[in-house]
Amino acid sequence: SFTNICRLNAENLSPAFTATVGFIGGGGDAMAIVMNAGKVVAAWDVDTTYHSAVAAFTGVQPQGDFTSMDLSLLPETDIYSGGAPCQDFTVMGKQLGTKDKRGLIWAKQLTLFKQKQYKVIVLENVPGIMVVQGGANFRVMLQGLKELGYTVFHGLFQMWRYNSPTNRIRLFIVAFHSTMSGVAHKFE
């Protein structure tokens, strides 16, 4: 089965890179990492619905609530992939932004990025994050990454164009750490 193929990749291949996956949701990021010769070594999501599926194809048992995690206990990895909760930024929600505790998770993510200094950070979220509260949160996110030494790119993508089963538009932020100099940074 597909899950068994993922598990074999996760357990038996020498990884091309290691990754931390935050806010795993249905596990799409983790699956893409494993299928591209990466190894997921840490993952989490407060919603445990997909924990067992992610554990089955990565070999890593996801942790729970990011807000109560001791970040110093997370392993060092090459890449961070994930997106903080979107409920406070989506046009379908109340658009509370940082007026709700989920909208403040970005600050702890930035602390994580400062501690771990990932080579590459890939963040995904709803386009609303660019406009809720006048776009202030979005600007703070980009500036925070730049202050940590990252070259930052972002763009909106219609997911169906990339063979995704959804027709939603998503925001992707890709940040390359300054230690990645000499690497061609292309984002489109």
Side-chain angles (χ1 to χ4, degrees), residues 128-156:
I129 202 164
M130 299 171 75
V131 295
V132 167
Q133 294 178 319
N137 301 304
F138 182 64
R139 288 189 300 277
V140 167
M141 288 177 186
L142 298 181
Q143 187 59 37
L145 288 167
K146 289 175 184 176
E147 288 173 5
L148 292 177
Y150 288 91
T151 300
V152 183
F153 300 90
H154 67 277
L156 296 175

Side-chain angles (χ1 to χ4, degrees), residues 4-18 31-41 57-58:
N4 287 336
I5 291 169
C6 290
R7 185 181 309 122
L8 287 172
N9 283 345
E11 293 172 357
N12 298 321
L13 294 178
S14 296
F17 60 93
T18 57
M31 188 180 302
I33 289 164
V34 171
M35 294 306 293
N36 286 283
K39 179 164 181 62
V40 175
V41 296
F57 62 79
T58 65

Side-chain angles (χ1 to χ4, degrees), residues 34-114:
V34 171
M35 294 306 293
N36 286 283
K39 179 164 181 62
V40 175
V41 296
W44 62 80
D45 201 308
V46 69
D47 182 349
T48 61
T49 304
Y50 298 105
H51 278 202
S52 60
V54 170
F57 62 79
T58 65
V60 172
Q61 181 59 47
Q63 298 181 47
D65 186 2
F66 175 69
T67 62
S68 62
M69 290 172 54
D70 181 348
L71 302 180
S72 68
L73 299 178
L74 289 171
E76 302 293 325
T77 63
D78 300 311
I79 295 174
Y80 173 89
S81 180
C86 66
Q87 294 90 336
D88 295 312
F89 301 104
T90 181
V91 295
M92 300 300 289
K94 296 180 182 177
Q95 300 184 6
L96 295 175
T98 56
K99 294 177 186 171
D100 183 275
K101 67 180 181 176
R102 293 174 296 193
L104 296 170
I105 289 177
W106 168 251
K108 186 161 183 174
Q109 271 191 306
L110 198 57
T111 300
L112 172 67
F113 301 156
K114 183 177 182 178

